[in-house]
């Protein structure tokens, strides 16, 4: 029974651990992309970074399962459902990182050099966005009143996503201006979209937190 | 002993009250999964019986008083005459049959109105049924009796207005106080959830107590009669025992058949936040306890809930309130007593010669 159990601080800690694994995954992902953008990509380095991304993703999966188990007797059902949805969406960030690294390795994709800086900029913004999300989730657990009364932090997450959207649109245009076959253009565009999905997913989590707060508004 | 079978009409009324009123105590909590159904019905059953045992007697006496004025129950003079003539047994039988008729007519009215999806109140139906019987059997030509009955009826009718209005005012005040002093102190998500859970458990227990105190009179009041000169004048001679039996009947209704209604009521109050949800129930219970302690008259718990929800809406803006819900209350004010009164009058007419 909720009023007698003491699992809630453990859930908050498990959320933080999971988030740390996802952040680690995104950092390794960034290193992997940078390695793939080298003039002569080091296949061994890329392979070991891909393994690092896989390991972080596996660790995140483990924490996710632990989170769900812990929540089975914690919080009210509505809160539990919202929190599980938030942690699952956060886990999706790690899944996307793993999927993109796997695709680049297996399909030996080499994005044109003219796109590199902007792709790295997207990843950098996404990292900043994930860091803000971490603060928002921490506040949700431990400083509920502040995020309930001031939701600017959620707007900040959305504003980072808007920046990614602008770069994505610009990259989309530039890909189709390159002297490539239509097939290559579509291929690169899809890869860039996959990388931008990281930011979209984080924005979705901000929306889920907003909905959770609205449901509790007096 | 067979005469005690007549109690079943009242117990059936109590059972149906239990199937409905349990929802007012824990509907929202059960529908949103905050409290498990089994936990809810256990708490309701226990607190309904405690409420009936400790404070149910007051309302019971008031209903009995109205019933006596309307000849559903025998007057003191009639009882003394029967005791003197040694016909008390016959009097007890007649009183029990009249009580069973009145309860059955009220219960049938509630059933038909509910089936037709018409707003209805069990409390107001019983009042109507008692008056319906009195219209045929009571001697309203006596100015003293007429004045006394009009006073009693006025008191009953005034609670119909005071009940939802009082619930709205109390709910408004409780939610304003909570918004000012309680909610700003919630710093952790887990504290919010704990408050909601504990709040629903306390509110549900308190509401169940108030239902036992309020509604047990609607189950057994008409079977109550004092012992005069060592002679029993009705089926039940102890007000406390009568109220407790009423509470048990309501508890059985809750334990056996309340889930469906609980889910329906819970969903219909969904626009409230979880904290407002249990504050509304506390406001409803407070209203009923205050009405019971000041006027000793059973009131409609459903109408108290509606009033409390309106009060909760008014804490935000009058625009948030659908004042159309008051239309349903107004319809119930008319339909419940008139429907039950008419039906009882017709039954009284059909059985007039036997009771003359």
């Amino acid at each position: 029974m909720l009023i007698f159990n003491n699992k809630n601080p453990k859930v908050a800690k498990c959320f933080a651990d999971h988030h740390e694994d996802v952040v680690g995954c995104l950092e390794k992902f960034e290193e992997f992309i940078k390695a793939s953008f080298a003039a002569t990509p080091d296949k061994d380095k890329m392979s070991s970074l891909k393994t690092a991304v896989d390991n972080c993703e596996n660790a995140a999966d483990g924490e996710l399962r632990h989170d769900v188990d812990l929540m089975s007797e914690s919080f009210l059902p509505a809160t539990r459902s919202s929190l599980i949805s938030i942690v699952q969406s956060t886990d999706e960030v790690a899944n996307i990182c793993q999927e993109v690294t796997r695709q680049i390795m297996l399909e030996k994709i080499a994005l044109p050099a003219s796109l590199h800086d902007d792709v790295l900029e997207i990843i950098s913004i996404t990292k900043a966005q994930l860091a803000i999300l971490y603060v928002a989730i921490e506040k949700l657990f431990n400083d509920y009143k502040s995020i309930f009364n001031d939701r600017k932090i959620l707007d900040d997450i959305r504003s980072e996503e808007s920046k990614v959207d602008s770069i994505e649109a610009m990259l989309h245009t530039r890909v189709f201006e390159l002297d490539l076959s239509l097939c290559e253009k579509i291929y690169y565009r899809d890869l860039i979209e996959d990388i931008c999905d990281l930011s979209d997913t984080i924005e979705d989590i901000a929306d889920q937190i907003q909905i959770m707060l609205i449901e509790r508004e007096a | 002993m067979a005469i005690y079978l007549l109690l079943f009409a009242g117990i059936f009324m109590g059972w149906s009250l239990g199937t409905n009123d349990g929802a007012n105590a824990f509907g929202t909590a059960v529908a949103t999964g905050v409290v498990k159904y089994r936990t809810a019905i256990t708490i309701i059953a226990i607190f309904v019986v405690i409420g009936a045992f400790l404070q149910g007697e007051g309302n019971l006496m008031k209903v009995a008083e109205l019933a006596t004025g309307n000849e559903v129950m025998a007057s003191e003079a009639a009882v003394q005459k029967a005791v003197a003539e040694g016909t008390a047994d016959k009097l007890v039988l007649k009183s029990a049959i009249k009580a069973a008729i009145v309860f059955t007519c009220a219960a049938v009215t509630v059933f038909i109105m509910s089936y037709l999806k018409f707003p209805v109140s069990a409390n107001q139906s019983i009042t109507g049924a008692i008056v319906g019987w009195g219209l045929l059997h009571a001697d309203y030509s006596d100015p003293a009796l007429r004045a006394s009955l009009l006073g009693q009826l006025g008191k009953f009718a005034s609670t119909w207005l005071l009940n939802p209005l009082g619930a709205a005012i109390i709910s408004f005040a409780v939610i304003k106080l909570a918004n000012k002093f309680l909610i700003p102190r919630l710093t952790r998500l887990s504290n919010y959830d704990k408050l909601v859970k504990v709040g629903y458990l306390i509110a549900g227990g308190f509401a169940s107590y108030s239902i036992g105190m309020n509604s047990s009179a609607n189950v057994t009041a008409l079977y109550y009669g004092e012992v005069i000169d060592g002679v029993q004048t009705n089926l039940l001679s102890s007000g406390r025992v009568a109220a407790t039996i009423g509470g048990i009947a309501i508890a059985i209704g809750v334990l056996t058949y309340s889930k469906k209604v609980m889910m329906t009521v819970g969903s219909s109050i969904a626009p409230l936040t979880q904290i407002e949800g249990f504050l509304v129930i506390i406001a409803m219970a407070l209203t009923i306890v205050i009405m019971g302690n000041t006027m000793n008259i059973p009131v409609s718990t459903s109408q108290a809930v509606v009033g409390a929800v309106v009060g909760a809406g008014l804490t935000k803006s009058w625009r948030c309130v659908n004042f159309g819900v008051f239309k349903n209350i107004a319809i119930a004010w008319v339909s419940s007593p008139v429907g039950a009164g008419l039906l009882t009058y017709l039954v009284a007419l059909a059985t007039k010669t036997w009771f003359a």
Side-chain angles (χ1 to χ4, degrees):
Chain A
M1 199 179 216
L2 171 83
I3 49 175
F4 299 121
N5 83 32
N6 199 24
K7 283 184 177 178
N8 298 341
K10 289 183 191 167
V11 173
K13 164 86 171 52
C14 201
F15 252 75
D17 291 345
H18 178 262
H19 203 95
E20 217 166 84
D21 289 330
V22 175
V23 169
C25 200
L26 188 58
E27 278 168 0
K28 293 295 170 197
F29 174 76
E30 185 183 33
E31 286 180 43
F32 173 88
I33 296 290
K34 279 180 182 168
S36 77
F37 285 172
T40 317
D42 180 342
K43 298 290 175 197
D44 290 340
K45 189 181 176 187
M46 281 177 68
S47 179
S48 90
L49 284 169
K50 185 198 169 294
T51 306
V53 169
D54 287 345
N55 290 342
C56 287
E57 197 278 335
N58 285 338
D61 275 349
E63 288 294 345
L64 171 67
R65 280 190 289 274
H66 190 198
D67 260 343
V68 173
D69 283 346
L70 272 178
M71 273 191 273
S72 66
E73 285 181 23
S74 308
F75 296 100
L76 298 175
T79 309
R80 207 184 300 152
S81 160
S82 302
L83 290 178
I84 287 175
S85 170
I86 287 170
V87 74
Q88 278 179 327
S89 299
T90 311
D91 197 65
E92 187 57 26
V93 172
N95 292 344
I96 295 171
C97 290
Q98 186 185 40
E99 204 46 51
V100 174
T101 50
R102 183 181 295 166
Q103 193 186 354
I104 290 173
M105 282 297 281
L106 293 177
E107 298 171 11
K108 299 181 176 53
I109 304 171
L111 273 175
S114 61
L115 308 176
H116 288 181
D117 287 348
D118 289 317
V119 170
L120 289 175
E121 176 68 9
I122 287 172
I123 297 171
S124 169
I125 294 170
T126 307
K127 276 172 65 187
Q129 204 187 1
L130 192 62
I132 303 171
L133 177 69
Y134 177 78
V135 177
I137 291 176
E138 210 274 333
K139 280 189 174 192
L140 183 67
F141 276 107
N142 299 320
D143 194 8
Y144 179 76
K145 194 171 74 177
S146 92
I147 193 166
F148 190 84
N149 293 330
D150 180 12
R151 295 168 199 178
K152 186 184 167 296
I153 195 165
L154 301 177
D155 292 334
D156 292 344
I157 293 171
R158 289 189 199 103
S159 134
E160 295 297 310
E161 197 273 339
S162 297
K163 289 181 199 166
V164 170
D165 261 357
S166 308
I167 300 172
E168 185 186 9
M170 185 260 291
L171 275 174
H172 192 154
T173 311
R174 277 175 43 207
V175 165
F176 279 82
E177 285 168 357
L178 291 172
D179 187 17
L180 299 167
S181 67
L182 181 62
C183 177
E184 282 174 304
K185 288 175 185 174
I186 292 170
Y187 196 72
Y188 292 145
R189 182 202 62 191
D190 287 353
L191 183 73
I192 291 164
E193 274 179 6
D194 287 346
I195 294 171
C196 292
D197 275 350
L198 291 166
S199 179
D200 287 339
T201 306
I202 296 168
E203 190 201 23
D204 288 346
I205 301 168
D207 291 342
Q208 286 171 28
I209 294 174
Q210 175 108 24
I211 290 167
M212 200 177 161
L213 296 173
I214 288 170
E215 283 171 348
R216 283 159 182 75
E217 264 175 6
Chain B
M1 285 305 284
I3 193 174
Y4 283 95
L5 290 174
L6 290 164
L7 271 175
F8 274 100
I11 287 173
F12 176 67
M13 189 74 195
W15 178 84
S16 60
L17 275 171
T19 61
N20 281 286
D21 286 4
N24 292 330
F26 269 112
T28 315
V30 171
T32 55
V34 175
V35 177
K36 287 180 184 154
Y37 174 68
R38 194 170 285 190
T39 309
I41 58 171
T42 307
I43 292 173
I44 301 172
I46 291 170
F47 281 90
V48 160
V49 176
I50 292 174
F53 177 77
L54 293 179
Q55 282 195 284
E57 208 174 340
N59 286 0
L60 187 128
M61 293 301 177
K62 211 69 178 178
V63 175
E65 205 179 292
L66 183 72
T68 305
N70 282 286
E71 290 291 322
V72 176
M73 290 164 69
S75 64
E76 205 179 325
V79 169
Q80 273 166 353
K81 190 180 166 206
V83 170
E85 290 172 355
T87 55
D89 284 354
K90 203 175 165 191
L91 182 86
V92 170
L93 179 66
K94 279 196 174 181
S95 291
I97 292 173
K98 282 191 275 185
I101 288 173
V102 168
F103 275 132
T104 306
C105 289
V108 167
T109 306
V110 170
F111 175 78
I112 293 173
M113 297 278 190
S114 304
Y115 182 76
L116 297 173
K117 300 196 187 307
F118 228 64
V120 66
S121 156
N123 279 287
Q124 289 151 16
S125 295
I126 288 172
T127 307
I130 290 172
V131 174
W133 184 271
L135 283 174
L136 196 82
H137 288 283
D139 180 12
Y140 295 140
S141 60
D142 177 359
L145 177 69
R146 201 166 56 224
S148 156
L149 272 175
L150 280 175
Q152 284 174 18
L153 278 174
K155 219 170 168 186
F156 269 76
S158 70
T159 62
W160 298 354
L161 181 67
L162 289 173
N163 173 38
L165 197 66
I169 294 168
I170 291 172
S171 168
F172 182 88
V174 166
I175 289 173
K176 278 281 181 193
L177 286 172
N179 283 342
K180 184 157 187 173
F181 297 108
L182 183 66
I183 293 167
R185 283 175 172 74
L186 295 173
T187 52
R188 286 170 178 267
L189 183 62
S190 54
N191 290 348
Y192 177 97
D193 276 25
K194 277 179 191 166
L195 173 72
V196 170
K197 179 127 190 172
V198 173
Y200 268 116
L201 289 171
I202 293 172
F206 184 34
S208 306
Y209 178 91
S210 73
I211 289 167
M213 169 195 162
N214 175 70
S215 304
S216 53
N218 294 328
V219 184
T220 44
L222 306 186
Y223 297 110
Y224 166 74
E226 285 177 2
V227 173
I228 297 176
D229 295 338
V231 178
Q232 197 170 331
T233 60
N234 208 331
L235 291 185
L236 304 167
S237 53
S238 159
R240 175 159 283 184
V241 170
T244 308
I245 292 173
I248 292 169
I250 295 169
I252 292 170
V254 172
L255 291 169
T256 55
Y257 199 69
S258 60
K259 193 166 189 175
K260 199 174 156 193
V261 188
M262 224 179 253
M263 291 303 186
T264 313
V265 169
S267 314
S268 69
I269 307 179
L272 296 175
T273 65
Q274 284 172 318
I275 291 181
E276 284 171 340
F278 74 76
L279 291 177
V280 156
I281 295 167
I282 288 177
M284 173 205 86
L286 264 175
T287 311
I288 290 170
V289 168
I290 292 170
M291 298 289 278
N293 281 320
T294 54
M295 303 185 85
N296 280 331
I297 289 175
V299 293
S300 164
T301 51
S302 304
Q303 292 177 5
V305 168
V306 172
V309 171
V310 168
L314 285 173
T315 58
K316 293 160 201 160
S317 159
W318 62 269
R319 288 187 188 87
C320 295
V321 178
N322 173 15
F323 287 98
V325 292
F326 281 122
K327 192 179 80 186
N328 282 355
I329 293 184
I331 293 171
W333 283 344
V334 179
S335 66
S336 306
V338 169
L342 196 66
L343 183 62
T344 314
Y345 182 84
L346 292 174
V347 175
L349 201 62
T351 56
K352 192 180 176 184
T353 46
W354 199 78
F355 287 102

